[in-house]
Amino acid sequence: MPDIVQNPFAIQPGTVQRGLTRIRALSAGETVADAVVPLLVWEYSYAPRYFFAPEDVRAELRPAGEGERSRVLGPSELFDVVLGDRVLRRAAQRFPEAPTEGMRSSYTLTWSAMDTWLEEDEVIHFHGRSPYVRVDTLHSSRHVRVVANGEVVADSHRPVILTETGLVPRYYLPRVDVRMDLLSPTDAVSYCPYKGTARYWSVTAGGLKVHDAAWGYETPLREAAGVAGLVCFWPEKSPDLEVYVDGERIVPS
């Protein structure tokens, strides 16, 4: 019997695909690039980078020397992006020896050098979005119990289960079902282009403190709106942090 596939949607680094939605990059209100059919290039498996054909670049590109060599795309060339009197230094890159011939003349832009990225007319947050990632939130009556070093931290029969392509399900709990007195906010922050900005809590229970062991989204993006204000625990953080679903412990992979 064939093995069960764990993640059939893992994208191999070096994959190049034509996009199906318009992508724009702007700086201070000026359009730097605008492509109805951009190239999506996975230099790494978790997210694509957007590449623009020369005719889709609206700014002047001025050669700025050699860039870093990519393990999968080869050597690169850097360019300053010139917008009138403004210069975004070394903010564009090209890979003239890339394995896929169709992308060798195309340019990618440094994400942080642009202040606005748009997919059609919606803002893209943090990095490029994969067309193969889907996020769903599902209300459930499953029993979720969280135990830290022998002390019950949360007990709920009304979790919201968040599923995201390629990742394990996560169980988000109402705060009234969580011992919030055992949680203390931290400075940790993480960013996701599908869910938004997450902030973290440490859990102190049973004489043990597990740092950044829970997180939540106060104002998630549209796909994850169902988990707004809820709390999710991270059993991978410590073997002393146990999450049970219907009596069965989640074993971190």
Side-chain angles (χ1 to χ4, degrees), residues 108-129:
T108 187
L109 301 172
T110 301
W111 190 272
S112 59
M114 307 297 125
D115 54 46
T116 304
W117 288 83
L118 297 172
E119 183 173 15
E120 296 298 339
D121 289 341
E122 296 194 7
V123 174
I124 312 170
H125 300 271
F126 313 127
H127 61 71
R129 293 165 55 96

Side-chain angles (χ1 to χ4, degrees), residues 10-17 39-51 67-78 92-100 103 106-111 127-132:
I11 306 299
Q12 293 300 313
T15 298
V16 179
Q17 175 184 321
L39 288 180
L40 277 57
V41 179
W42 279 263
E43 186 176 6
Y44 305 99
S45 60
Y46 68 89
R49 295 175 67 181
Y50 300 122
F51 278 71
E68 292 185 1
R69 183 184 182 92
S70 166
R71 182 173 58 85
V72 295
L73 302 179
S76 70
E77 303 168 336
L78 295 176
Q93 190 177 26
R94 183 172 64 185
F95 294 86
E97 299 178 23
T100 301
M103 64 166 288
S106 296
Y107 300 88
T108 187
L109 301 172
T110 301
W111 190 272
H127 61 71
R129 293 165 55 96
S130 170
Y132 301 110

Side-chain angles (χ1 to χ4, degrees), residues 16-234:
V16 179
Q17 175 184 321
R18 295 195 181 279
L20 301 177
T21 53
R22 181 187 185 189
I23 298 294
R24 284 177 285 169
L26 291 80
S27 172
E30 294 187 68
T31 300
V32 177
D34 183 347
V36 175
V37 185
L39 288 180
L40 277 57
V41 179
W42 279 263
E43 186 176 6
Y44 305 99
S45 60
Y46 68 89
R49 295 175 67 181
Y50 300 122
F51 278 71
F52 300 90
E55 60 269 22
D56 292 331
V57 178
R58 305 289 179 81
E60 176 190 349
L61 298 183
R62 184 182 298 163
E66 294 183 2
E68 292 185 1
R69 183 184 182 92
S70 166
R71 182 173 58 85
V72 295
L73 302 179
S76 70
E77 303 168 336
L78 295 176
F79 298 82
D80 292 336
V81 175
V82 182
L83 297 162
D85 295 333
R86 294 190 302 122
V87 178
L88 307 179
R89 300 197 179 280
R90 301 165 72 88
Q93 190 177 26
R94 183 172 64 185
F95 294 86
E97 299 178 23
T100 301
E101 183 177 356
M103 64 166 288
R104 293 174 187 169
S105 62
S106 296
Y107 300 88
T108 187
L109 301 172
T110 301
W111 190 272
S112 59
M114 307 297 125
D115 54 46
T116 304
W117 288 83
L118 297 172
E119 183 173 15
E120 296 298 339
D121 289 341
E122 296 194 7
V123 174
I124 312 170
H125 300 271
F126 313 127
H127 61 71
R129 293 165 55 96
S130 170
Y132 301 110
V133 172
R134 173 174 172 170
V135 173
D136 287 298
T137 58
L138 304 167
H139 289 272
S140 175
S141 58
R142 300 180 73 177
H143 182 202
V144 178
R145 190 166 61 97
V146 181
V147 179
N149 202 30
E151 186 170 357
V152 175
V153 178
D155 196 311
S156 181
H157 288 272
R158 45 185 171 176
V160 174
I161 304 174
L162 186 144
T163 61
E164 181 175 349
T165 304
L167 301 178
V168 298
R170 296 294 184 181
Y171 298 84
Y172 287 76
L173 310 178
R175 296 191 189 192
V176 294
D177 295 338
V178 177
R179 286 282 307 275
M180 296 302 295
D181 58 309
L182 302 179
L183 274 59
S184 54
T186 76
D187 294 330
V189 180
S190 63
Y191 306 98
C192 172
Y194 315 103
K195 301 187 293 292
T197 301
R199 299 192 180 275
Y200 289 74
W201 293 272
S202 291
V203 176
T204 303
L208 173 75
K209 185 171 186 177
V210 184
H211 294 277
D212 301 325
W215 73 86
Y217 296 89
E218 293 296 331
T219 54
L221 300 176
R222 183 182 65 241
E223 292 95 328
V227 299
L230 306 183
V231 179
C232 185
F233 290 87
W234 197 356

Side-chain angles (χ1 to χ4, degrees), residues 168 236 250-253:
V168 298
E236 292 89 341
I250 294 176
V251 179
S253 56

